[in-house]
Amino acid sequence: MKYMKTATAFAAAALVLVSACTTPASTTPTTGAPAPEAPSETTPAATEGLRMTILPKNLGNPYFETSTKGAEAAAAEIGATTELVGPTDAAADAQVPYIETATQQKVDAIQISANDQTALCDAIKAAQAAGIKIVTFDSDAPGCRDLFINQATSEGIAKVLVEMAVEQAGGSGEIAVLSATANATNQNAWIEAMKTDLAANHPDIKLVDVVFGDDQDQKSFDETQALLQKYPNLKVIVAPTTVGIAAAARYISTSDAKGKVWVTGLGTPNDMRSFVEDGTVKEFALWNPEDLGYLTTFAAAALVKGEITGAEGDKFTAGKLGEYTVGADNTVLLGDPYRFNAENIADFNF
Amino acid sequence: MTATTVGYREYGRPRWQRILLTREMAIVGLLLLTLLVAGLAIPYFADRLTVYNLLRDMFATLIIALPMALVMITGDIDISVGSMVGLSCSVLGLLFSMGVPFELSMVLVLLMGAAGGLLNGALVAKIGLPALAVTIGTMALFRGIAVGLLGTSTVTGFPQGWTDLTKYEIGYTGIPFIIVVFLVLFAVFVYLLNFTPFGRGIYALGLNSEAAVFSGVNRDRTRIILFVLAGTMSALGGIYWTLLRGTARGDIGDGLELQVIAAVVLGGVSVFGGIGALYGVVAGVLLIGALSSALRLVGVTAEVIKIITGVLLIGSVVAASMITSFQNRRKKVTAAPSQTSVAEPAPSGE
Amino acid sequence: MTATQTTAAPTSAASAGSRLMQLLRRRETSILVAIVAMVVVTTAVRPTFVFSGDGWRSLLLNPAIYIVLAVGVAFVIISRSVDLSVGSTMGLTAFAIGSLYIAWPQMPTVVAFVAGTLFGGLLGLVNGGLVAVAKVPGMVITLGTMYIFRGINILWAGTTRINASQMGPDFLAFGNSQVVGIPALTILAVIVAIIAGWYLHNTRSGRELYAIGSAPEAAELYGLAVSRRALMSFVVSGAMAGLAGVMFAARYGTIASNAGTGYELQAIGAAVIGGVAITGGVGTVAGAAFGAFLLATINSALPVLGIDSLWQRAVVGALILAAIILDRVLAVRQKRRLIAERMEP
């Protein structure tokens, strides 16, 4: 009787704690995602293989689902275990707690696609101090990692984007960019390179605006609408983000602008197929994110095992992708972007 | 003639029980239980890194919870604190990038926080608007200004002497140095609340504001001061965040206000006002932080923390309410028609 | 025998005139005026804002979801409570409907809408039940359920999201379709608002919400079933949020686990701006709907006017503050007027 208050509180707490401790560590997708991923629980150093944490910009992003698939396939080949963690929003410092947790768990390597190039630095440095190898992929945190796996050079990506935009605009006119988050390192690098390319080679094309969809479908959708309203003479929307291009295409395919305002950028064939078929999208580009994840895992493993140090000139083998050499600034290049259009899109499935 | 000595029979529970059976102690007990269970059952939890990360990540919530508790004890509420954190961060970055010396920028930001709190307080106390509505408005206003000022850019490159402050540890305990700042603030607030007439006025206002006013408590002044404190602490939180991450952005602190309120209510502050103690609030914040930390280590999605926070919040409030109503019903049943007087002649032999 | 003073019966013209004046002075009218002013100004800057197929459609379609949310939340605010969980309810319902489509691809659109509304109502029942049984303020309960529903949503979604290609094509077509030039979702929102407004104004339980909001203790002493009405208001709010979730799914097609985040404050802000005082007992569904329309229109108009849409929240905040200050001024003036009337010999 006397202890009812305390007893009730303790009972409630115990119930919560018990339920929390018995919650499974893996989350299973309920939708028809390409392949179910099975993050394994990390256990102390009794496992033989390497332990890696995969930390993309955000979860629920099909691009990263594909890259994780590749990363996990590579891990299976070399006998390593991976754990997929990440925030739901690609906010600047949302990844920090996960880096901290991975540091505490003393994993061997963390694969990160960075949301912000500065905010993660401290946590990364602390992880490195604890002996963990940090490999960034897709979006870099310059100066705060051991190795960066870049899908292509910024100039290379920008060149392809600009070429497609100029072609679809008919050589002159207004274009706009629908980006992801304002801080994403990769986005900003590509946009800068695009501006340089446009200024140097295509003076008749005017880049009127850069808007941010935050890699969120609904926001990208709404920003596309705003762009169309603000710039009635717009000819092309370039969306170098798979979430953004899908949302923009979806908006335009049900609006009056279909066929008048073209959507291009970086997208996955599966997302874009229906829009290519119905005429909203002529051409877009991408690399294979699965290969990117695959390469990242091999690179991280090579770092951990000491085969490479990340210095320029180091060579390592990445399974079925072959041999790779580390370039300047501890960067490894995957390859060139590939252009998808109505003729070849049926050949791909990712 | 017997010499009757007037003695007072002790009613109620002994003092140690009275202290232990409070809501606050239940939360403290829950916190200790969590730490114990997590330390034993979860690998890597019992590590100085846990304490280090936990305290550094929770610092802003901790210092804002202190004035928020006071505000809520008076019966008001302030949900603009998260936006003020974002605004302080944004303004700090802006001033710094304009060349204002960093120390001066910090002082200016603190003053701005106080001014924001003054706005809230004036609208609530002087014009008589409900606190919830006012702070919903200022929450949107401050956040809007924060994001509008910096736009999508960030400011980096803060003086290392200051950013390093957030990293120092006390020896090898893992306790970060900034805890000293928190302890000083905690001591100040505890003194204010428990050892000054001002503090007693706060409780009085919460329990019965008309009676408090009649007793001489200056209602307007007290409420305004508390809002100013909340604003200032939020500004300090924003400064801290900027130093912690080394980057200034306008969109941080989103959702912080709800985390603080949840912790404050969890920590024993009654939603009706008039009841609460600061050590319970601190325990509430640490409990939420410790649970997040523990569950992240287990690999449970960090957002499950949301469910746990919600359940804890509702559970504690509902339990408190049910217990109070149960006690009230018991009092009605057992109240004797004639009250025995407090003073009784001490029975012989005692 | 005292001679009672009789006031001359007002002539019909005068009464019509005074009624017109009353109508003009209402909050709803000023919001409507603000909306029209905003649209006119923006159209002057860029005619395609209204005079283009897309522009017209966007203008009417964007507010639909906010209108439904604001109407639901108004029920709760009028009874002097608040429902912070509508955004999470909306997101969870959207995801649930999406998942339902994946399991049952041929689900008729009507079933989707009904299921979503019922699901939202169920979640609202949780809120209402806790508030009624535990006698805890709605703000705290819905703060907790806001977290819980969002957490469940994220847990359920895991690392995936629902893509437009997985949703029923008829459903999506409905979401983007138009009837005589007006988007179907907007028509739905308006019909819902009209029904809700009728209910609040004309039914006993609806009017009792106003009583409970104005003077809760008096209402209780008077014998009103306060707990039951509170429960009802939360169920309505939840059902509206559920409906908004279905509309979201129909409109956007792709549903991530963070759908609906932040919508609760837009909804509450819209209601407050539209005249639903946070202290309860005042306001109409029409006001909340207009407030939602105004906010959504500001959102679309700002970029066209050259103001970075980043400033939108600041504008909303300023509007909310202006609205509640106005509410307060009016309330004080009303109180003084009532006192003066009582004092008249």
Short mmCIF file of all heavy atoms in Angstrom, two decimals, chain C residues 222-245:
data_model
loop_
_atom_site.label_atom_id
_atom_site.label_comp_id
_atom_site.label_asym_id
_atom_site.label_seq_id
_atom_site.Cartn_x
_atom_site.Cartn_y
_atom_site.Cartn_z
N TYR C 222 -23.25 21.66 -14.75
CA TYR C 222 -24.54 21.70 -15.45
C TYR C 222 -25.02 20.31 -15.82
O TYR C 222 -26.19 20.08 -16.09
CB TYR C 222 -24.39 22.58 -16.69
CG TYR C 222 -25.65 22.85 -17.42
CD1 TYR C 222 -26.66 23.62 -16.83
CD2 TYR C 222 -25.85 22.36 -18.69
CE1 TYR C 222 -27.82 23.88 -17.51
CE2 TYR C 222 -27.03 22.61 -19.38
CZ TYR C 222 -28.01 23.38 -18.79
OH TYR C 222 -29.16 23.64 -19.45
N GLY C 223 -24.08 19.36 -15.84
CA GLY C 223 -24.49 17.99 -16.12
C GLY C 223 -24.14 17.49 -17.50
O GLY C 223 -24.59 16.43 -17.92
N LEU C 224 -23.32 18.27 -18.21
CA LEU C 224 -22.93 17.80 -19.53
C LEU C 224 -21.98 16.61 -19.41
O LEU C 224 -21.18 16.55 -18.48
CB LEU C 224 -22.23 18.91 -20.31
CG LEU C 224 -23.04 20.18 -20.57
CD1 LEU C 224 -22.23 21.12 -21.41
CD2 LEU C 224 -24.35 19.84 -21.25
N ALA C 225 -22.09 15.70 -20.35
CA ALA C 225 -21.22 14.52 -20.31
C ALA C 225 -19.85 14.90 -20.84
O ALA C 225 -19.50 14.62 -21.98
CB ALA C 225 -21.84 13.41 -21.16
N VAL C 226 -19.07 15.57 -20.00
CA VAL C 226 -17.80 16.15 -20.45
C VAL C 226 -16.86 15.10 -20.99
O VAL C 226 -16.26 15.25 -22.04
CB VAL C 226 -17.15 16.93 -19.29
CG1 VAL C 226 -15.78 17.41 -19.70
CG2 VAL C 226 -18.01 18.11 -18.90
N SER C 227 -16.71 14.00 -20.26
CA SER C 227 -15.76 12.98 -20.72
C SER C 227 -16.16 12.45 -22.09
O SER C 227 -15.33 12.29 -22.98
CB SER C 227 -15.70 11.82 -19.74
OG SER C 227 -15.36 12.28 -18.48
N ARG C 228 -17.45 12.18 -22.25
CA ARG C 228 -17.88 11.61 -23.53
C ARG C 228 -17.65 12.57 -24.67
O ARG C 228 -17.26 12.17 -25.77
CB ARG C 228 -19.36 11.23 -23.44
CG ARG C 228 -19.63 9.89 -24.10
CD ARG C 228 -21.07 9.47 -24.11
NE ARG C 228 -21.80 9.75 -22.90
CZ ARG C 228 -23.11 9.97 -22.87
NH1 ARG C 228 -23.80 9.93 -23.98
NH2 ARG C 228 -23.71 10.21 -21.74
N ARG C 229 -17.93 13.86 -24.42
CA ARG C 229 -17.70 14.83 -25.49
C ARG C 229 -16.23 14.94 -25.81
O ARG C 229 -15.85 15.08 -26.97
CB ARG C 229 -18.25 16.20 -25.09
CG ARG C 229 -19.72 16.22 -24.80
CD ARG C 229 -20.54 16.02 -26.05
NE ARG C 229 -21.93 15.84 -25.69
CZ ARG C 229 -22.60 14.71 -25.89
NH1 ARG C 229 -22.04 13.68 -26.47
NH2 ARG C 229 -23.88 14.62 -25.53
N ALA C 230 -15.41 14.92 -24.77
CA ALA C 230 -13.97 15.01 -25.02
C ALA C 230 -13.52 13.83 -25.86
O ALA C 230 -12.77 13.97 -26.83
CB ALA C 230 -13.21 15.04 -23.68
N LEU C 231 -14.02 12.66 -25.51
CA LEU C 231 -13.70 11.46 -26.28
C LEU C 231 -14.11 11.66 -27.73
O LEU C 231 -13.35 11.39 -28.66
CB LEU C 231 -14.45 10.27 -25.67
CG LEU C 231 -14.07 8.91 -26.22
CD1 LEU C 231 -12.72 8.52 -25.68
CD2 LEU C 231 -15.11 7.87 -25.82
N MET C 232 -15.31 12.16 -27.93
CA MET C 232 -15.81 12.37 -29.29
C MET C 232 -14.92 13.31 -30.06
O MET C 232 -14.58 13.07 -31.21
CB MET C 232 -17.24 12.93 -29.20
CG MET C 232 -17.90 13.22 -30.52
SD MET C 232 -17.69 14.93 -31.08
CE MET C 232 -18.85 15.79 -30.04
N SER C 233 -14.50 14.41 -29.39
CA SER C 233 -13.69 15.39 -30.12
C SER C 233 -12.38 14.78 -30.57
O SER C 233 -11.90 15.03 -31.67
CB SER C 233 -13.45 16.64 -29.28
OG SER C 233 -12.62 16.35 -28.18
N PHE C 234 -11.78 13.92 -29.74
CA PHE C 234 -10.52 13.32 -30.14
C PHE C 234 -10.73 12.28 -31.24
O PHE C 234 -9.89 12.12 -32.14
CB PHE C 234 -9.83 12.67 -28.94
CG PHE C 234 -9.06 13.67 -28.13
CD1 PHE C 234 -9.58 14.18 -26.96
CD2 PHE C 234 -7.82 14.11 -28.55
CE1 PHE C 234 -8.88 15.12 -26.22
CE2 PHE C 234 -7.10 15.03 -27.82
CZ PHE C 234 -7.64 15.55 -26.65
N VAL C 235 -11.85 11.58 -31.18
CA VAL C 235 -12.12 10.60 -32.25
C VAL C 235 -12.29 11.34 -33.58
O VAL C 235 -11.77 10.92 -34.61
CB VAL C 235 -13.38 9.77 -31.91
CG1 VAL C 235 -13.80 8.95 -33.13
CG2 VAL C 235 -13.12 8.86 -30.75
N VAL C 236 -13.01 12.46 -33.55
CA VAL C 236 -13.19 13.24 -34.78
C VAL C 236 -11.84 13.72 -35.30
O VAL C 236 -11.53 13.60 -36.49
CB VAL C 236 -14.12 14.44 -34.53
CG1 VAL C 236 -14.08 15.40 -35.69
CG2 VAL C 236 -15.53 13.96 -34.29
N SER C 237 -11.04 14.25 -34.38
CA SER C 237 -9.73 14.75 -34.78
C SER C 237 -8.90 13.63 -35.41
O SER C 237 -8.24 13.81 -36.44
CB SER C 237 -9.02 15.33 -33.56
OG SER C 237 -7.73 15.72 -33.89
N GLY C 238 -8.93 12.45 -34.77
CA GLY C 238 -8.18 11.33 -35.31
C GLY C 238 -8.72 10.89 -36.67
O GLY C 238 -7.95 10.60 -37.59
N ALA C 239 -10.05 10.85 -36.78
CA ALA C 239 -10.64 10.43 -38.05
C ALA C 239 -10.25 11.39 -39.17
O ALA C 239 -9.93 10.98 -40.29
CB ALA C 239 -12.16 10.35 -37.91
N MET C 240 -10.28 12.68 -38.87
CA MET C 240 -9.89 13.67 -39.86
C MET C 240 -8.43 13.49 -40.24
O MET C 240 -8.06 13.59 -41.42
CB MET C 240 -10.10 15.09 -39.32
CG MET C 240 -11.55 15.47 -39.17
SD MET C 240 -12.42 15.60 -40.72
CE MET C 240 -13.36 14.11 -40.66
N ALA C 241 -7.60 13.22 -39.24
CA ALA C 241 -6.19 13.01 -39.54
C ALA C 241 -6.02 11.76 -40.40
O ALA C 241 -5.20 11.71 -41.31
CB ALA C 241 -5.39 12.88 -38.23
N GLY C 242 -6.81 10.74 -40.11
CA GLY C 242 -6.76 9.53 -40.93
C GLY C 242 -7.17 9.82 -42.36
O GLY C 242 -6.51 9.38 -43.32
N LEU C 243 -8.25 10.59 -42.51
CA LEU C 243 -8.68 10.96 -43.86
C LEU C 243 -7.59 11.75 -44.58
O LEU C 243 -7.31 11.52 -45.75
CB LEU C 243 -9.96 11.80 -43.77
CG LEU C 243 -10.54 12.28 -45.09
CD1 LEU C 243 -10.92 11.10 -45.95
CD2 LEU C 243 -11.76 13.16 -44.84
N ALA C 244 -6.96 12.67 -43.84
CA ALA C 244 -5.87 13.44 -44.42
C ALA C 244 -4.75 12.53 -44.87
O ALA C 244 -4.11 12.75 -45.90
CB ALA C 244 -5.34 14.47 -43.41
N GLY C 245 -4.51 11.47 -44.11
CA GLY C 245 -3.47 10.51 -44.48
C GLY C 245 -3.80 9.83 -45.79
O GLY C 245 -2.92 9.65 -46.65
#
